[in-house]
């Protein structure tokens, strides 16, 4: 197994970098010079795309018949030796670290092979599986990632909320929205306090026009202390409020904003809709205060421009208020 060059053989530049690309129908890890563009090295490996499991080859994911792989012909001993040699290419001490390092350097096919071997041979097979699935996603091999995740939850990941949440996202990405939502529900059943999964679940519910459920889940997300999840929850709440405003459902808007409490002042859309609501109720001063808050959060928000005349604030006068 040859070692790739450390510099460009054409211009001698040391600025060479890896990237994974498709050459015809084949995925390759390519090493190119950043100075002159010369292709310095190219690697195309047997890719293990089928789900991992007992009795399968690490090298190509073929089924073993006795000691020999029915697909690539490697014995179990040769399979192990190949991956030790692949690990040496990274300079890392273990398969998981080698996979992460290869991915960081742009050698995603090498990373995939090492992550696959780590599912079998590392002390953290769950972490290795997460890395393997992530790499399959990065390579736009969504079906392979989905099948791997399905295999995981049917086996050692049966009670792993991370496995179920990842399965849900993959199913949705593959167009299986109903199954995806069910998988996310299973993840939340196993780990109810995972606000980020709940935030994504709320967003998917909204996309499926299940607005009442999306509203309920968004409010639960906002009751957590997770700032990343709160951004998701606020996004869902703002989209729902905008929809209600479009329907001119004043009572529903008022009910939602009341439930959101202090969160309204943290989002430009919600603050602007609060201004609209106050204006509908004839509370002009409160409407102006709410619109000022929306303008402070996002001066270019479309609702700010739409409502400024309505609530009696002129564009030229913002800095004077």
């Amino acid at each position: 197994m040859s070692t790739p060059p450390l510099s460009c053989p054409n211009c001698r530049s040391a600025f060479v970098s890896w990237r994974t690309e498709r050459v015809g129908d084949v995925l390759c890890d390519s090493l190119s010079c950043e100075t002159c563009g010369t292709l310095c090295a190219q690697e195309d490996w047997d890719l293990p795309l089928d789900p991992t499991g007992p009795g399968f080859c690490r090298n190509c994911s073929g089924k073993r018949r006795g000691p020999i792989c029915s697909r690539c012909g490697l014995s179990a001993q040769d399979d192990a030796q190949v991956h030790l040699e692949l690990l040496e290419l990274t300079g890392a001490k273990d398969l998981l670290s080698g996979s992460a390092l290869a991915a960081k350097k742009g050698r995603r096919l090498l990373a995939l092979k090492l992550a696959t071997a780590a599912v079998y041979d590392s002390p953290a097979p769950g972490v290795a599986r997460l890395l393997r699935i992530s790499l399959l996603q990065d390579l736009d091999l969504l079906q392979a990632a989905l099948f791997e995740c399905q295999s995981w939850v049917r086996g050692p990941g049966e009670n792993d909320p991370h496995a179920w949440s990842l399965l849900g996202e993959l199913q949705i990405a593959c167009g299986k929205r109903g199954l995806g939502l069910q998988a996310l529900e299973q993840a939340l059943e196993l780990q109810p306090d995972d606000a980020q999964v709940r935030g994504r679940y709320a967003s998917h519910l909204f996309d499926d026009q299940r607005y009442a459920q999306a509203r309920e889940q968004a409010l639960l997300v906002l009751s957590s202390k997770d700032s990343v999840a709160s951004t998701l929850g606020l996004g869902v709440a703002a989209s729902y409020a905008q929809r209600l405003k479009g329907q001119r459902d004043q009572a529903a808007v008022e009910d939602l904003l009341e439930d959101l409490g202090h969160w309204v002042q943290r989002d430009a859309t919600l603050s602007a809709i609060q201004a609209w609501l106050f204006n509908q109720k004839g509370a002009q001063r409160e409407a102006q205060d709410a619109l000022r808050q929306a303008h402070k959060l996002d001066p270019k928000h479309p609702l700010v421009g739409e409502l400024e005349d309505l609530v009696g604030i002129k564009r030229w006068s913002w800095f004077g208020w």
Side-chain angles (χ1 to χ4, degrees), residues 164-291:
W164 281 102
S165 64
L166 184 54
L167 176 61
E169 296 296 342
L170 282 167
Q171 286 173 322
I172 289 169
C174 290
K176 302 177 180 180
R177 297 192 62 83
L179 290 174
L181 288 172
Q182 289 176 25
L184 291 175
E185 288 162 6
Q186 178 64 23
L188 289 170
E189 186 174 325
L190 291 167
Q191 193 168 345
D193 60 349
D194 192 326
Q196 293 187 29
V197 172
R198 193 173 296 280
R200 294 195 298 273
Y201 177 55
S203 182
H204 290 311
L205 286 171
F206 188 86
D207 290 341
D208 277 5
Q209 300 181 14
R210 294 164 62 176
Y211 300 121
Q213 290 171 279
R215 176 192 194 278
E216 177 185 1
Q217 294 299 318
L219 289 171
L220 286 173
V221 170
L222 292 172
S223 68
S224 74
K225 296 181 180 179
D226 188 313
S227 59
V228 174
S230 295
T231 300
L232 291 169
L234 263 183
V236 172
S239 295
Y240 185 48
Q242 198 154 7
R243 183 176 185 276
L244 294 173
K245 174 186 173 293
Q247 297 173 334
R248 305 193 68 80
D249 191 338
Q250 183 176 327
V253 169
E254 186 168 12
D255 184 54
L256 175 62
L257 297 186
E258 184 177 336
D259 284 345
L260 288 168
H262 70 279
W263 289 104
V264 174
Q265 282 72 48
R266 300 191 186 188
D267 182 86
T269 298
L270 292 170
S271 292
I273 290 173
Q274 186 176 56
W276 170 82
L277 179 64
F278 280 134
N279 184 75
Q280 294 295 106
K281 297 168 68 175
Q284 200 73 357
R285 173 55 62 180
E286 289 83 352
Q288 291 172 351
D289 289 343
L291 197 60

Side-chain angles (χ1 to χ4, degrees), residues 138-149:
D138 287 346
L139 293 166
D140 202 27
L141 299 169
L142 291 183
Q143 285 294 335
L146 175 59
F147 294 154
E148 178 68 29
C149 209

Side-chain angles (χ1 to χ4, degrees), residues 46-98:
D46 283 331
L47 293 184
L49 300 183
D50 293 337
T52 54
F56 286 88
C57 176
R58 294 158 176 73
N59 182 55
C60 70
S61 69
K63 182 71 175 174
R64 291 197 176 281
R65 294 193 179 123
I68 304 299
C69 173
S70 61
R71 186 178 296 167
C72 71
L74 288 182
S75 68
Q77 184 176 356
D78 290 339
D79 194 0
Q81 181 60 34
V82 163
H83 286 86
L84 286 176
E85 293 175 13
L86 291 176
L87 180 59
E88 288 177 4
L89 293 176
T90 69
K93 294 182 178 180
D94 62 83
L95 292 165
L96 261 179
S97 298

